[in-house]
Amino acid sequence: MTTPFEQAQQDVQTLSRKPGNDTLLKLYALYKQGSAGDVSGKRPGGFDFVGGAKYDAWEALKGKTQDEAQAEYVALVQTLKAQD
């Protein structure tokens, strides 16, 4: 059986309109927090601006439980689907 979190991961791939960069970063951070927990590793440096932004977005969720992050991810995907 598919969990709501797994279903949301599938649903986000079927959106007809690509979300804006801020929303994409939020989706990424919630996904990583929901699946892996708190941020790990070193922040990408140099000219890896995308990697740095992703790291920062994930790091901002530090301390949020995986269950909380998964619930927020599912809610955000539902909102995006409703606007699609």
Side-chain angles (χ1 to χ4, degrees):
M1 186 169 139
T2 305
T3 68
F5 184 59
E6 292 167 337
Q7 184 62 51
Q9 291 168 44
Q10 294 170 16
D11 290 346
V12 80
Q13 301 297 323
T14 64
L15 295 172
S16 62
R17 290 184 302 164
K18 183 179 176 187
N21 286 340
D22 289 346
T23 303
L24 289 173
L25 274 176
K26 186 168 179 115
L27 284 167
Y28 172 82
L30 288 169
Y31 170 78
K32 292 296 282 184
Q33 188 74 17
S35 58
D38 284 343
V39 71
S40 59
K42 288 182 65 174
R43 184 185 189 278
F47 292 101
D48 186 359
F49 300 115
V50 172
K54 285 180 169 183
Y55 185 94
D56 292 346
W58 184 11
E59 186 178 46
L61 299 180
K62 198 171 198 167
K64 187 180 293 286
T65 69
Q66 287 182 269
D67 287 342
E68 288 172 330
Q70 288 182 14
E72 286 184 39
Y73 181 89
V74 169
L76 179 55
V77 171
Q78 293 298 331
T79 300
L80 292 171
K81 279 177 56 179
Q83 296 170 354
D84 200 31

